[in-house]
């Protein structure tokens, strides 16, 4: 593959026959239809389950399947968790067949479409409120879940009133019985919510890749589901506490641990762990006490395990599908993060922002607008922080760069650690390499969109706040190098709007040398960079050269190696084998356990069977999935040994990192850097005026808008775009938010 060729946009082989293409397209269409049918049927069943219709469906299903090899628990697992696992397997097959399909073919039919299309995933419907910026599809999902909650409460209430007539209790005990049954129903609704709870936080999830929703976007779905799940679980516990308190049996029943039936004490432990995670995940706590949130959230292990002990294997199988997929992702992340990664170079900007260049294997695929999770063991063995990738996949096969702004304690410690690499008073006199402090880094990722959608729009508007500019450097580098090399690339007009507080942040522009990346780029595309310095009314004397004022790069002492290829968003075939083998292993283990242990020895304790169920889930991933991981890792090392010790000829001063075409350096370009950069002081961007101007200059064209910044910036841009005519005149609008660049 060419050094500058994107792994995501490789051209189709000229030898590919049209017949094989038709067969592949037909097979993909069949898989799409099959996955859609299974998903719709599964969701409809979950929706009607609280009512009599759903109860009847489950009863008939258990009558048919409970006497088979899978048993009663297996029948519950198949109907509640089986569909999502089947969809995941089909999705992996779909991605394997899709391969590295050219993204532009997906948009050909849109270009010839005569009718405007409404993009559910990107069009902002709500811009203010507790949910933040909400797209049309997200709003539709919120409405469906809201209707489900109301329907479930109503259906269960009607069934409970009918159920009371079957119990012969005194009138004074009737209300307490109804309260306990209501608590049971709240718990069941919480379980149904928990079916989806773990799906959005699987960073390399095959399902997220299928629908092309990156992890950082899906995280908010986990937050929403977490709030509503814990609310129902809290009502569940509260109903029982009130009823038992009135009966005078609270302490007696609270510590009860039944062998047959619901074990109360494990439920109490699970609920307490869930409440601690819930309280510490609130926005204020997460923002001001991130470490408390992070460490407390590790209680999810206690929450899940004791939930299984509380309800037993039969009810736990309802939520097992999503949890199993999360375990798959978590184990793969664990394997990837065990490797120490070589830091090729480190750099400090005048504004205090740091740049780390990390070594990666040449066969690792990633996309512009990706991000990684970074750990520095000298600072903490437990903390992982997300950072946007500022380098393009075309910048080099052996490295990836990230920009890190000092915003909190962890990043401040990293800055202090790196400051020891050179003398602060005279940065030209570097310390001896033997005196460099050791920096041991571990990396998870990269994660991001499955498709480089930024290349599929002729007109791009990139809106950044502060360090939010870093992923846009990757996008600009990607576009410019494609223009230079004559590769497929649609963007013709790119407008960058960058709001910063102080002019010292202008030094970040040195991260990308635009004229060197693409000489005479103005003849191939129209690029405008409008910078707004909000806290300075006029430029400082040195602002004209601030983009060149960068401390030299240094090479930390490190015994690491390139990043591991063990990432869920990596090779489709290996990730598919990992999923399939683990799933088959789990089904096999739970079946053998049921036949040769549970049935043979007449194991009846609910909590024990729930524990065995969890053990089988984990063991299947460790054994069957672990075997695939071993071969995957060996394959990755073998592929990476093709060019050992190669870092794209990156030197410690970082001169080559963003300019892989060294022969372009000596050329005289006609493009003056000031011709496409406009800096305004003492003002903020007026998006209403900006979009009106774009509407006049660009006319009725397709526009992609990407926003990377704080929530206030996202809401402001979304509000203007939603109300502005540029959306009404755009056939294929894209509105995308990134927030992972704002690190703690």
């Amino acid at each position: 593959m060419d050094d500058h060729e994107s792994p995501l946009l490789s051209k189709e082989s000229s030898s590919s026959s049209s017949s094989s293409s038709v067969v592949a397209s037909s097979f993909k269409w069949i898989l799409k239809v099959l996955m859609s049918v299974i998903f719709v049927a599964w969701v409809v069943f979950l929706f009607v389950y609280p009512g009599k219709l759903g109860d009847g469906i489950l009863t008939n299903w258990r009558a048919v399947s409970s006497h088979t090899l899978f048993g009663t628990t297996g029948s519950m697992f198949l109907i509640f968790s089986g569909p999502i696992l089947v969809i995941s397997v089909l999705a992996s097959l779909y991605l394997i067949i899709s391969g590295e399909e050219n993204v532009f073919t997906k948009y050909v039919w849109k270009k010839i479409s005569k009718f405007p299309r409404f993009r559910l995933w990107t069009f902002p419907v709500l811009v203010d409120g507790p949910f933040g910026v909400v797209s049309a599809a997200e709003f539709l999902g919120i409405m469906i879940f809201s209707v489900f909650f109301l329907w479930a409460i109503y259906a269960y209430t009607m069934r409970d009133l009918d159920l009371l007539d079957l119990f012969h209790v005194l009138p004074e005990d009737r209300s307490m019985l109804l309260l306990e049954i209501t608590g049971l129903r709240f718990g069941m609704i919480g379980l149904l919510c928990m079916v989806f709870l773990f799906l959005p936080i699987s960073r390399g999830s095959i399902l997220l890749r299928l629908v092309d929703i990156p992890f950082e976007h899906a995280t908010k779905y986990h937050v929403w589901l977490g709030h509503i799940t814990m609310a129902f679980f809290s009502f569940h516990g509260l109903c029982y506490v009130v009823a038992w308190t009135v009966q005078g049996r609270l302490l007696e029943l609270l510590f009860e641990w039944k062998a047959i039936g619901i074990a109360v004490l494990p439920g109490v432990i699970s609920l307490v762990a869930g409440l601690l995670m819930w309280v510490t995940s609130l926005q204020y706590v997460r923002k001001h006490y991130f470490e408390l949130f992070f460490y407390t959230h590790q209680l999810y292990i206690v929450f899940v395990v004791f939930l299984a002990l509380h309800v037993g294997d039969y009810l736990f199988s309802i939520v097992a599908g999503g949890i199993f997929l999360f375990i798959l992702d978590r184990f793969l992340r664990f394997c990837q993060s065990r490797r120490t990664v070589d830091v090729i170079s480190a750099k400090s900007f005048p504004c205090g922002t740091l740049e780390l260049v990390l070594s990666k294997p040449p066969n690792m695929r990633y996309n512009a607008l990706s991000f990684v999770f970074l750990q520095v063991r000298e600072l903490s063995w437990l903390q992982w922080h997300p950072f946007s990738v500022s380098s393009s996949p075309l910048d080099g096969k052996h490295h990836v760069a990230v920009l890190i702004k000092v915003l909190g304690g962890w990043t401040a410690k990293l800055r202090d650690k790196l400051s020891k690499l050179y003398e602060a008073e005279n940065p030209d006199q570097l310390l001896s390499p033997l005196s460099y402090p050791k920096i041991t880094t571990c990396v998870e990722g990269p994660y991001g969109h499955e498709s480089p959608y930024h290349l599929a729009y002729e007109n791009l508007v990139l809106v950044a706040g502060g360090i939010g500019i870093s992923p846009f450097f990757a996008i600009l580098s990607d576009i410019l190098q494609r223009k230079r090399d004559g590769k497929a690339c649609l963007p013709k007009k790119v407008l960058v709007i960058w709001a910063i507080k102080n002019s010292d942040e202008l030094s970040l522009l040195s991260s990308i040398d635009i004229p060197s990346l693409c000489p005479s780029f103005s003849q191939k595309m129209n690029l405008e960079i409008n910078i707004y310095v909000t806290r300075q009314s006029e430029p400082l004397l040195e602002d004209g050269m601030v983009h060149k004022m960068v401390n030299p790069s240094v090479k930390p002492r490190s015994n690491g190696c390139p990043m591991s290829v063990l990432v869920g968003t990596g090779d489709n075939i290996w990730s598919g084998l990992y999923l399939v083998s683990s799933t088959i292993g789990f089904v096999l283990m739970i079946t053998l356990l049921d036949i040769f242990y549970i049935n043979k020895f007449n194991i009846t304790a609910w909590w024990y069977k729930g524990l065995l169920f969890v053990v089988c889930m984990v063991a299947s991933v460790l054994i069957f999935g672990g075997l695939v991981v071993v071969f995957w890792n060996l394959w990755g090392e073998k592929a990476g040994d093709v060019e050992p010790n190669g870092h794209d000829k990156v030197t410690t001063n970082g001169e080559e990192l963003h300019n892989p075409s060294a022969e372009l350096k000596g050329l005289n370009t006609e493009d003056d850097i000031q011709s496409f950069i406009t800096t305004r002081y003492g003002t903020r961007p007026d998006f209403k005026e900006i979009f009106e101007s774009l509407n006049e200059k660009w006319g009725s064209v397709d526009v992609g808008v990407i926003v990377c910044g704080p929530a206030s910036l996202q809401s402001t841009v979304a509000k203007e775009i939603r109300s502005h005519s540029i959306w009404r005149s755009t056939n294929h609008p894209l509105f995308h938010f990134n927030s992972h660049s704002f690190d703690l």
Side-chain angles (χ1 to χ4, degrees):
M1 182 179 291
D2 188 89
D3 287 352
H4 308 300
E5 185 176 353
S6 169
L8 292 178
L9 294 174
S10 58
K11 297 181 179 179
E12 296 182 354
S13 174
S14 58
S15 62
S16 298
S17 63
S18 59
S19 59
S20 62
S21 178
V22 171
V23 171
S25 300
S26 301
F27 196 49
K28 286 169 55 180
W29 181 85
I30 294 174
L31 289 175
K32 273 186 177 182
V33 172
L34 188 57
M35 287 187 290
S36 301
V37 170
I38 295 174
F39 179 75
V40 171
W42 179 57
V43 171
V44 169
F45 168 72
L46 293 177
F47 193 91
V48 302
Y49 174 71
K52 294 182 179 180
L53 176 61
D55 185 63
I57 294 175
L58 181 60
T59 301
N60 295 332
W61 169 257
R62 285 186 301 189
V64 173
S65 59
S66 60
H67 299 293
T68 61
L69 189 64
F70 300 102
T72 305
T73 299
S75 66
M76 286 288 287
F77 177 81
L78 288 176
I79 194 170
F80 280 100
S81 298
I84 198 64
L85 295 181
V86 172
I87 292 174
S88 299
V89 172
L90 296 177
S92 65
L93 183 59
Y94 178 87
L95 292 177
I96 291 174
I97 296 175
S98 299
E100 298 173 352
E101 183 181 22
N102 193 320
V103 69
F104 301 103
T105 60
K106 302 178 182 179
Y107 293 90
V108 171
W109 68 273
K110 293 182 181 180
K111 296 300 178 183
I112 62 176
S113 176
K114 298 180 180 179
F115 305 101
R117 294 187 175 271
F118 185 71
R119 292 179 60 89
L120 290 176
W121 287 113
T122 59
F123 186 81
V125 175
L126 302 178
V127 295
D128 294 314
F131 296 104
V133 179
V134 177
S135 69
E138 292 166 349
F139 180 75
L140 181 61
I142 293 173
M143 295 303 297
I144 292 176
F145 269 94
S146 300
V147 171
F148 169 72
F149 298 142
L150 295 176
W151 148 252
I153 294 173
Y154 168 78
Y156 277 136
T157 302
M158 293 297 100
R159 290 176 60 184
D160 293 345
L161 294 177
D162 295 338
L163 188 62
L164 282 178
D165 297 334
L166 302 178
F167 292 89
H168 302 287
V169 295
L170 298 175
E172 56 269 22
D173 296 331
R174 184 180 178 89
S175 59
M176 291 299 100
L177 178 60
L178 179 61
L179 187 59
E180 290 187 26
I181 296 176
T182 302
L184 175 65
R185 302 307 191 188
F186 279 137
M188 181 56 67
I189 297 176
L191 285 178
L192 294 177
C193 295
M194 197 172 166
V195 169
F196 302 94
L197 180 62
F198 286 86
L199 297 179
I201 54 171
S202 299
R203 297 176 184 172
S205 170
I206 201 77
L207 298 176
L208 294 181
R209 294 176 60 197
L210 177 67
V211 295
D212 201 12
I213 299 179
F215 163 75
E216 77 273 16
H217 288 188
T219 302
K220 65 179 178 181
Y221 308 145
H222 171 74
V223 174
W224 298 348
L225 289 168
H227 286 317
I228 197 66
T229 300
M230 286 311 305
F232 278 112
F233 281 161
S234 299
F235 287 135
H236 165 71
L238 183 62
C239 288
Y240 280 101
V241 168
V242 172
W244 294 343
T245 301
V246 173
Q247 297 172 9
R249 305 173 57 199
L250 178 62
L251 294 180
E252 174 190 350
L253 296 176
L254 207 59
F255 294 93
E256 188 177 53
W257 193 316
K258 292 181 180 179
I260 307 298
I262 299 296
V264 179
L265 183 57
V268 173
I269 297 174
S270 178
L271 181 59
V272 170
L275 290 174
L276 287 174
M277 289 190 293
W278 191 20
V279 172
T280 55
S281 66
L282 298 177
Q283 177 65 25
Y284 179 84
V285 179
R286 192 168 68 250
K287 181 177 180 180
H288 294 88
Y289 305 97
F290 177 79
E291 292 187 12
L292 177 62
F293 155 75
F294 178 82
Y295 294 133
T296 306
H297 235 62
Q298 307 312 307
L299 290 173
Y300 74 86
I301 300 176
V302 177
F303 175 73
V304 170
V305 172
F306 279 88
L307 175 65
L309 299 179
H310 174 55
V311 300
D313 60 332
Y314 179 74
L315 291 178
F316 185 76
S317 61
I318 295 176
V319 301
I323 296 176
F324 181 73
L325 292 176
F326 173 76
I327 295 174
L328 280 170
D329 179 76
R330 189 64 190 89
F331 177 65
L332 196 61
R333 286 160 45 200
F334 174 81
C335 294
Q336 186 193 27
S337 63
R338 294 309 92 193
R339 173 178 291 188
T340 56
V341 178
D342 185 25
V343 179
I344 299 176
S345 68
K347 183 191 301 181
S348 176
F349 293 88
C351 59
T353 298
L354 310 173
E355 182 187 57
L356 294 183
V357 181
L358 308 171
S359 176
K360 81 171 187 69
N363 56 330
M364 172 174 281
R365 62 191 292 268
Y366 75 98
N367 197 355
L369 207 60
S370 295
F371 69 101
V372 297
F373 282 83
L374 182 66
Q375 178 201 65
V376 178
R377 292 185 176 177
E378 283 76 15
L379 304 183
S380 173
W381 278 73
L382 297 177
Q383 291 191 42
W384 293 82
H385 293 269
F387 298 100
S388 295
V389 173
S390 59
S391 60
S392 163
L394 303 184
D395 286 338
K397 296 188 298 182
H398 296 276
H399 78 272
V400 60
V402 295
L403 291 176
I404 303 173
K405 184 175 182 178
V406 179
L407 294 175
W410 187 89
T411 48
K413 293 178 183 178
L414 179 60
R415 176 195 57 196
D416 297 339
K417 191 76 174 177
L418 294 179
S419 66
K420 298 177 182 179
L421 296 175
Y422 49 84
E423 295 179 0
E425 295 181 357
N426 188 356
D428 292 329
Q429 297 179 358
L430 301 180
L431 299 174
S432 170
L434 298 178
S435 303
Y436 292 165
K438 183 178 180 180
I439 298 180
T440 307
T441 60
C442 299
V443 178
E444 288 184 9
Y447 305 105
H449 272 275
E450 183 69 12
S451 302
Y453 57 88
H454 61 280
L455 298 176
Y457 289 85
E458 295 183 357
N459 305 275
L460 281 178
V461 178
L462 310 178
V463 183
I467 193 60
I469 193 66
S470 57
F472 294 160
F473 290 152
I475 289 179
L476 290 177
S477 177
D478 202 36
I479 294 174
L480 288 169
Q481 293 186 72
R482 289 184 176 280
K483 293 289 185 181
R484 180 195 66 200
D485 299 335
K487 298 180 182 293
C489 181
L490 288 184
K492 298 178 180 178
K493 301 175 182 177
V494 179
L495 171 63
V496 180
I497 303 171
W498 184 24
I500 57 178
K501 295 179 180 179
N502 301 300
S503 59
D504 58 358
E505 296 184 59
L506 292 172
S507 60
L508 295 178
L509 291 174
S510 63
S511 296
I512 178 171
D513 191 348
I514 294 178
S516 296
L517 286 175
C518 183
S520 302
F521 69 92
S522 60
Q523 300 176 9
K524 301 179 180 181
M525 63 178 294
N526 181 10
L527 174 64
E528 296 181 46
I529 301 179
N530 294 335
I531 305 174
Y532 297 82
V533 184
T534 59
R535 293 189 178 180
Q536 292 179 205
S537 58
E538 57 184 16
L540 302 177
L541 292 178
E542 63 271 19
D543 279 356
M545 299 295 294
V546 72
H547 64 280
K548 298 182 180 179
M549 297 169 54
V550 182
N551 293 326
S553 298
V554 291
K555 174 69 171 74
R557 183 168 61 90
S558 175
N559 297 323
C561 50
M563 297 162 56
S564 171
V565 296
L566 300 176
V567 56
T569 56
D571 188 271
N572 291 331
I573 296 179
W574 282 111
S575 59
L577 288 175
Y578 174 65
L579 168 66
V580 172
S581 63
S582 299
T583 303
I584 294 176
F586 172 61
V587 174
L588 181 63
M589 290 185 68
I590 202 68
T591 303
L592 295 177
L593 181 71
D594 191 63
I595 296 174
F596 295 103
Y597 182 67
I598 294 178
N599 292 335
K600 184 176 181 179
F601 295 96
N602 194 26
I603 305 298
T604 58
W606 285 25
W607 68 268
Y608 184 52
K609 292 168 68 176
L611 178 61
L612 292 176
F613 195 92
V614 174
V615 170
C616 284
M617 293 173 64
V618 176
S620 63
V621 175
L622 295 179
I623 298 173
F624 294 90
L627 185 62
V628 175
V629 167
V630 170
F631 288 106
W632 188 355
N633 186 61
L634 292 175
W635 170 83
E637 291 181 351
K638 183 178 180 180
D641 287 341
V642 177
E643 299 179 56
N645 301 323
H647 295 315
D648 300 316
K649 300 180 180 179
V650 178
T651 59
T652 56
N653 61 13
E655 292 178 355
E656 300 289 336
L657 297 181
H658 295 288
N659 183 18
S661 300
E663 68 276 7
L664 298 177
K665 282 190 171 183
L667 298 179
N668 294 323
T669 63
E670 300 176 357
D671 299 300
D672 183 11
I673 191 172
Q674 298 302 326
S675 64
F676 59 90
I677 297 180
T678 302
T679 305
R680 298 176 175 85
Y681 291 84
T683 183
R684 297 178 180 274
D686 186 342
F687 291 104
K688 181 179 180 180
E689 178 182 344
I690 291 173
F691 291 140
E692 288 178 350
S693 175
L694 287 181
N695 204 28
E696 295 176 358
K697 291 193 300 183
W698 292 358
S700 180
V701 293
D702 61 335
V703 178
V705 182
I706 307 178
V707 183
C708 190
S712 57
L713 178 64
Q714 297 177 9
S715 298
T716 301
V717 176
K719 190 179 300 183
E720 290 298 332
I721 290 182
R722 186 184 62 175
S723 61
H724 203 271
S725 60
I726 187 173
W727 281 98
R728 294 190 292 271
S729 64
T730 298
N731 286 342
H732 318 291
L734 167 70
F735 189 52
H736 176 78
F737 289 119
N738 270 32
S739 58
H740 54 259
S741 295
F742 290 80
D743 311 296
L744 297 170

